[in-house]
């Protein structure tokens, strides 16, 4: 703003517009250029930072525009700041900060158009190793970042610079030392290395507190980052609940209705329903869109990333700093050192859990950097942060302009509260001016508009809740609303329900009125007021609050609580499985349960327990209790095994149960969390399980001793289990030898086995036979022979 006029830099072609008394007029056109920054010169004229070929610094005087400086070595001038009589330019794509002393600039002489031959000669001399800056221009910061995107300054005239590539915030101090020409020497320090790759906005308070907003386009997705909480979090000690104070009312959007004097707009490049806007500022008779897209647009970020990628590929993926003059300012650009100890502001904006981790959080953030360098996250949402200014109604609060949903936030770091003040049709808010009279002027993009926020209350406002999910079809109870209703204000409450998660889909009920709350002296200030929810039972619900005021005061909805109950659904038992417990090894020298392990060649003791396991859950998340029963094969009688079981496993001591086959039944009940008569139960049967505590029988069918050779014909039989093995030993119980059945495979409950023992020494011998079944039961038989 300059005097009574507001200057607007518009694109995609470089156009300068003026807004005065609600009317927009053209002040300047710069074809094939873009204007990304404006400021006021020490002489009181408008300064324009023009990006093009070449980039320029221009001044708009009473007799017209004047080019003060040309910078052919610079591709973009992203931001500009006049500090202590000097102009500072944040540039790209070499990530350089330039200092311009206006008094030392030499007049710019327009160069004639060269012919093709001369152009070839100039190209041969292009890209010098050392850039010689024009008189009056000094390079004070040369970084390894691709672009320096934003500038700010503090009361000590220190500069703060935000970059892309690594998302760095630099603090640049001029002095106290001076060079041979008497110019203060720049000293740079990386104040903050953000987890996000791009710093899009900076604001510095008079006390030196820095607020840095990030603008990673890949993290700017539609929708809120954090849904409404389902549990109260409170607010910091000493903070009062928000009140409808007419002395400092929140800003409300008022789009100026007297901006009709705008040139007609050419045919839009996007669908008409997205491009139409009553207050759009189009480019009349504009040429084709220049290859350099508007800053902070999606196309701009895509083009910028492609440009950076091309530079990195050209240097084998390693950014190479430009060659520099030995007398030029030193380079700054330390390696990234992510900070993992930066707390968020408690349970406030963004819903962070208290640390920023490795920078993989969704969305973009506003970080508060105090005078000691301590960093705290005060805001996080799935938006790009484009501008940060102090709230004119309260300098302790921030106004945060964002894209890509055109939302203006008010952030109160002390109260840990965030408010969406405006949700505009345009997708970005790249420009914002907070005026001393409390009004805020917004410049938007996609489409381009000017929006004026007046200090005061809107007479009506509406809030629609996110879709609330009860997880099952539920019966809705009372809605309790805690609200402050001063004067003649009121809040109307409506609800609707549905069984599809997307509220835009068909099948939702219509909005039904729950009632209207008005001031009531009999109701305490913090007392919730109940309202009936008339929406039909369903899984999902939305409520809508319509707040009505008189322009002087406004109601404030502080808390909404909703009661619901879902029908008691049956528990679910997904599976029941039973198997003999397999012992796990104990410590050194011990077996399972502290027993000494069996010696080599011995068989372990048959398991004495059957491990029963089941999987179950309750759709209502009720606590479950289980009853276990068993039924012998051929019987219809269920016998109790265990009752009031809380776990989902049980060990059955089967040594006390007769051999045979059984069915197991597990019954789940949600009785602990439901009244008597309303509990639900469900049962599930296991596959048949077998209990076998009896070893197989060994029958010696034939025995023959011929010389030193013993031949045995055996039959091994088990009533229930498959015969697993047959071993024999002579004069020992350690050196066991295996014998195979006649059909070479143990696969039935009866096996015939031939055992042949040769080379028996003369004298008496004890031959021991051992047969085992599949359950681990072992049978031992022995016989005495005497070899002559």
């Amino acid at each position: 703003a300059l005097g009574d006029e507001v200057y607007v830099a518009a694109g995609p072609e470089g156009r300068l517009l003026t807004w005065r008394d609600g009317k927009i007029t053209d002040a300047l056109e710069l074809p094939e250029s873009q204007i990304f920054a404006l400021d006021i010169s020490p002489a009181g004229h408008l300064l324009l930072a023009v990006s093009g070929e070449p980039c320029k610094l221009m001044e708009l005087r009473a007799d017209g525009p004047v080019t003060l400086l040309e910078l052919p070595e610079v591709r973009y001038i992203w931001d500009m700041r006049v500090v202590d009589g000097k102009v500072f330019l944040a540039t790209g794509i070499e990530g350089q900060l330039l200092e311009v002393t206006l008094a030392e600039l030499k007049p710019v002489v327009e160069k004639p158009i060269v012919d093709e031959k001369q152009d070839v000669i100039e190209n041969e001399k292009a890209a010098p190793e050392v850039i010689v800056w024009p008189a009056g221009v000094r390079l004070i910061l040369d970084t390894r970042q691709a672009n320096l995107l934003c500038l700010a300054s503090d009361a000590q005239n220190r500069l703060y610079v935000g970059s892309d590539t690594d998302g760095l915030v630099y603090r640049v101090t001029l002095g106290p030392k001076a060079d041979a020409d008497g110019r203060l020497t720049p000293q740079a320090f990386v104040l903050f290395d953000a987890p996000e790759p791009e710093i899009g906005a900076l604001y510095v308070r008079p006390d030196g507190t820095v607020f840095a907003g990030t603008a990673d386009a890949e993290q700017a997705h539609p929708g809120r980052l954090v849904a409404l909480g389902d549990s109260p979090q409170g607010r910091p000690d000493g903070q009062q609940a928000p009140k409808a104070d007419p002395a400092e009312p929140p800003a409300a959007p008022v789009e100026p209705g007297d901006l009709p004097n705008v040139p007609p707009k050419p045919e839009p490049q996007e669908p008409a329903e997205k491009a139409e806007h009553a207050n759009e500022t189009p480019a009349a008779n504009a040429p084709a869109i220049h290859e350099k897209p508007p800053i902070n647009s999606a196309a701009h970020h895509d083009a910028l990333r492609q440009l950076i990628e091309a530079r990195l590929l050209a240097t084998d993926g390693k950014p190479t700093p430009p060659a520099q003059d030995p007398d030029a300012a030193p380079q700054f650009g330390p390696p990234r050192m992510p900070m993992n100890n930066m707390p968020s502001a408690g349970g406030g904006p963004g819903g962070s859990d208290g640390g920023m981790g490795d920078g993989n959080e969704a969305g973009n953030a506003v970080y508060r950097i105090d005078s000691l360098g301590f960093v705290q996250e005060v805001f996080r949402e799935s938006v790009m942060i484009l501008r940060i200014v102090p709230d004119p109604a309260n300098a302790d609060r921030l106004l945060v302009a964002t894209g890509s949903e055109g939302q203006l936030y008010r952030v109160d770091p002390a109260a840990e509260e965030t408010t969406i003040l405006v949700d505009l049709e345009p997708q970005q808010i790249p420009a914002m001016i907070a005026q001393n009279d409390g009004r805020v002027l917004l410049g938007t993009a996609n489409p381009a508009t000017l929006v004026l926020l007046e200090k005061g209350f809107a007479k009506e406002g509406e809030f629609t809740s996110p879709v609330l999910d009860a997880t099952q079809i539920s019966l809705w109870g009372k809605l309790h609303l805690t609200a402050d209703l001063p004067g003649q204000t009121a809040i109307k409450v409506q609800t609707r329900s549905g069984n599809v998660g997307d509220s835009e889909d068909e099948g939702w009920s219509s909005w039904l009125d729950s009632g209207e709350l008005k001031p009531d002296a009999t109701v305490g200030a913090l007392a919730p007021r109940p309202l009936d929810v008339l929406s039909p039972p369903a899984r999902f619900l939305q409520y809508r609050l319509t707040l009505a005021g008189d322009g002087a005061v406004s109601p404030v909805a502080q808390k909404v609580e909703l009661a619901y109950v879902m029908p008691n659904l049956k528990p679910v038992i997904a599976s029941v499985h039973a198997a003999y417990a397999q012992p796990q090894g104990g410590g050194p020298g011990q077996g399972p349960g502290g027993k000494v392990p069996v010696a080599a060649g011995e068989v372990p003791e048959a398991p004495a327990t059957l491990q029963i396991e089941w999987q179950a859950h309750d759709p209502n998340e009720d606590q479950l209790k289980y009853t276990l029963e068993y039924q012998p094969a051929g019987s219809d009688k269920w016998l109790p095994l265990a009752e009031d079981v809380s776990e989902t496993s049980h060990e059955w001591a089967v040594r006390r149960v007769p051999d045979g086959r059984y069915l197991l039944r597990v019954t789940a009940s949600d009785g602990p969390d439901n009244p008597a008569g309303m509990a639900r139960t469900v049962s599930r049967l296991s596959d048949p399980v077998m209990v076998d505590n009896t070893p197989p029988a060994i029958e010696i069918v034939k025995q023959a001793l011929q010389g030193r050779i013993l031949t045995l014909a055996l039959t091994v039989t088990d009533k229930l289990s498959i015969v697993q093995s047959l071993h024999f030993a002579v004069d020992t119980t350690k050196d066991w030898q295996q014998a195979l059945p006649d059909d070479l495979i143990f696969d039935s409950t009866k096996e015939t086995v031939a055992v042949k023992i040769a080379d028996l020494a003369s004298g008496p011998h004890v031959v021991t036979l051992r047969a085992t079944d599949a359950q681990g039961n072992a049978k031992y038989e022995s016989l005495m022979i005497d070899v002559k």
Side-chain angles (χ1 to χ4, degrees), residues 453-716:
L453 306 184
E454 298 280 0
K455 182 179 179 181
F457 289 109
K459 291 187 177 181
E460 185 173 285
E462 186 176 276
F463 170 78
T464 301
S465 76
V467 173
L468 307 178
D469 185 2
T471 71
Q472 293 286 346
I473 294 179
S474 300
L475 177 66
W476 307 108
K478 298 285 187 180
L479 184 148
H480 295 264
L481 175 61
T482 304
D484 187 5
L485 295 162
Q488 299 301 314
T489 60
I491 299 180
K492 180 181 178 181
V493 181
Q494 297 172 300
T495 64
R496 66 173 182 169
S497 60
N499 287 311
V500 290
D502 188 348
S503 60
E504 299 299 324
D505 287 348
E506 297 179 357
W508 277 69
S509 70
S510 59
W511 289 102
L512 298 177
D513 292 340
S514 292
E516 186 176 41
L517 299 185
K518 295 184 177 181
D520 187 345
T522 64
V523 178
L526 300 178
R529 297 167 69 172
L531 296 165
D532 291 327
V533 176
L534 303 180
S535 298
R539 173 176 173 175
F540 302 101
L541 185 87
Q542 276 187 302
Y543 64 85
R544 183 166 68 186
L545 306 180
T546 303
L547 291 78
D550 60 4
V553 293
S554 173
V556 177
Q558 298 177 354
K559 185 178 182 180
V560 175
E561 296 176 290
L562 183 66
Y564 67 96
V565 60
M566 64 178 65
N568 188 24
L569 303 175
K570 282 186 177 182
V572 176
I573 302 178
S575 65
V576 177
H577 176 72
Y580 280 95
Q582 298 298 322
Q584 301 294 325
Q590 288 189 335
K595 297 179 180 179
V596 177
V598 295
E602 296 291 338
V603 294
E605 184 179 354
T609 59
L610 193 69
Q611 185 73 22
I612 307 170
E613 297 180 345
W614 59 95
Q615 293 181 341
H617 71 277
D618 189 87
N620 305 101
E621 298 186 358
D622 292 337
Q623 180 184 357
L624 297 178
K625 291 290 185 179
Y626 305 98
T627 300
L628 279 70
E629 301 164 291
Y630 68 98
Q631 183 186 77
S635 171
D636 59 358
K637 181 71 173 179
W638 287 101
L639 304 175
L641 179 58
E643 295 181 352
D644 203 28
V645 177
S646 299
E647 305 297 328
T648 56
S649 64
H650 180 76
E651 289 188 353
W652 185 18
V654 295
R655 287 294 176 86
R656 299 189 293 252
V657 181
D659 288 359
R661 287 180 170 80
Y662 295 87
L663 289 178
L664 297 171
R665 183 168 71 181
V666 178
T667 301
S669 171
D670 59 6
D673 284 344
N674 287 279
M678 296 184 64
R680 305 292 297 273
T681 61
V682 67
S683 298
R684 191 178 185 92
L685 303 180
S686 71
D687 293 331
V689 297
M690 183 175 60
V691 174
D692 184 3
N693 296 316
T694 304
I698 302 174
E699 180 185 358
I700 302 175
V701 179
K702 183 179 179 181
Q703 174 180 330
L705 179 62
Q706 296 180 351
R708 299 173 60 188
I709 300 175
L710 174 66
T711 302
L712 299 174
L714 308 174
T715 300
V716 183

Side-chain angles (χ1 to χ4, degrees), residues 98-119:
L98 304 180
E99 177 194 74
V100 179
T101 304
L102 297 178
E104 298 178 4
L105 296 179
K106 296 181 179 180
V108 176
V109 179
E110 296 292 337
K111 297 180 180 179
I113 299 176
V114 298
D115 59 23
E116 183 177 354
K117 181 177 180 180
Q118 185 177 357
D119 187 47

